Amino acid sequence: MIELPELHGRPGPTAPWWERRASWIYDCLLGNLLPDHGETGISYPLEHVLLGTLHLPGGELAAGDPYVMGAEPLIFSRRLGADVVEVVATVAGDERMATLLLLAGSNPVCGWAMATSADDDVCDLAAEDYRGYPVDSGTGALGSPAAMRRVGQALADDAGRMRDPLSATIHAQMGTCSAMIASPDEGLVAVAICSSGWGDGDYPTWLGLDDTGAVMVALTDFLLTSDPYQTIEHEDVMLVSWWRRLLGR
């Protein structure tokens, strides 16, 4: 059984949208149900899949789309509270990825931070804006900076032929779960990799902090559904609605 840290307290009504979104989506993970506030009466059951452990020397974390980032992943400034983390994929009812979650500790989550790089400026964010990593091949990944660089370089060297070991692993496991821990080659450090919800877009990573400010959880939110706090639609949420109309959902 997968034990997620408890959630203690929630952001108030004057907190930024992203902070309330982070707390809300984590609360949904704890309750194993994801309601869609853009589609009245629709909720998706959630399944947590433990993928294994990931090595993050010094707690450093990087993210990106491994098929397009090359050797330059987005490296987050804030470090996690552990060098080895458990990786959990959360799958929504129709087998789409809702979140990719890293568990760095067991203390209750008391607050939230947005994972950003040293180059990000969040002081001038609009009311419902956020910083995230870009996805252009429908694939997201988390790992140490060194591992992510090696993965990106290996896929760039393969030039889209899908003959590299990582792509072979992905295709071999396709149909069991669209998330896994995999390495670009035998003996190299692995990364956590998954399909990215509804596809391409920019996806935020929320950091759940304990009462000392240490990072207990890090989760990439694939923005599958809208939340109670949105007053405008993000491009990703609008894309979801467009796909639903197209598929007749």
Side-chain angles (χ1 to χ4, degrees):
M1 182 177 179
I2 299 172
E3 294 287 343
L4 303 183
E6 296 178 359
L7 179 62
H8 285 190
R10 289 164 179 78
T14 60
W17 167 80
W18 67 263
E19 190 174 345
R20 289 184 286 170
R21 167 78 191 193
S23 181
W24 174 79
I25 192 72
Y26 188 70
D27 206 12
C28 292
L29 299 187
L30 293 174
N32 300 317
L33 192 67
L34 179 62
D36 188 348
H37 290 266
E39 298 284 343
T40 304
I42 293 181
S43 295
Y44 302 98
L46 297 176
E47 178 187 2
H48 304 302
V49 181
L50 180 61
L51 302 180
T53 58
L54 198 63
H55 291 266
L56 303 174
E60 285 190 288
L61 180 63
D65 182 333
Y67 284 97
V68 298
M69 69 184 182
E72 297 183 2
L74 181 67
I75 300 174
F76 297 130
S77 301
R78 195 157 191 159
R79 299 191 179 202
L80 275 62
D83 294 343
V84 179
V85 300
E86 289 188 317
V87 184
V88 178
T90 301
V91 185
D94 60 358
E95 298 186 357
R96 293 188 183 275
M97 278 302 137
T99 67
L100 186 61
L101 176 69
L102 306 183
L103 301 178
S106 58
N107 293 341
V109 173
C110 301
W112 295 92
M114 187 189 314
T116 58
S117 72
D119 297 328
D120 284 330
D121 182 4
V122 298
C123 295
D124 59 350
L125 282 178
E128 295 188 13
D129 202 359
Y130 60 88
R131 295 287 184 264
Y133 62 86
V135 168
D136 293 306
S137 75
T139 309
L142 296 172
S144 72
M148 290 288 285
R149 290 189 188 102
R150 183 65 188 90
V151 163
Q153 189 61 61
L155 295 181
D157 291 344
D158 183 64
R161 292 172 297 178
M162 309 298 281
R163 297 175 183 171
D164 62 281
L166 183 63
S167 296
T169 300
I170 293 172
H171 283 284
Q173 295 189 29
M174 190 174 294
T176 55
C177 177
S178 54
M180 65 201 71
I181 294 176
S183 171
D185 212 340
E186 186 175 354
L188 296 181
V189 178
V191 301
I193 187 168
C194 69
S195 61
S196 55
W198 291 96
D200 299 341
D202 287 286
Y203 296 109
T205 298
W206 315 126
L207 304 176
L209 314 176
D210 69 5
D211 58 3
T212 71
V215 178
M216 295 292 103
V217 302
L219 67 95
T220 293
D221 180 356
F222 289 115
L223 303 173
L224 280 189
T225 69
S226 61
D227 56 67
Y229 314 111
Q230 287 166 319
T231 57
I232 59 174
E233 286 189 306
H234 292 294
E235 180 181 352
D236 304 280
V237 176
M238 292 173 66
L239 178 62
V240 169
S241 298
W242 182 83
W243 270 103
R244 284 198 181 123
R245 289 196 298 269
L246 180 65
L247 299 175
R249 294 183 178 181

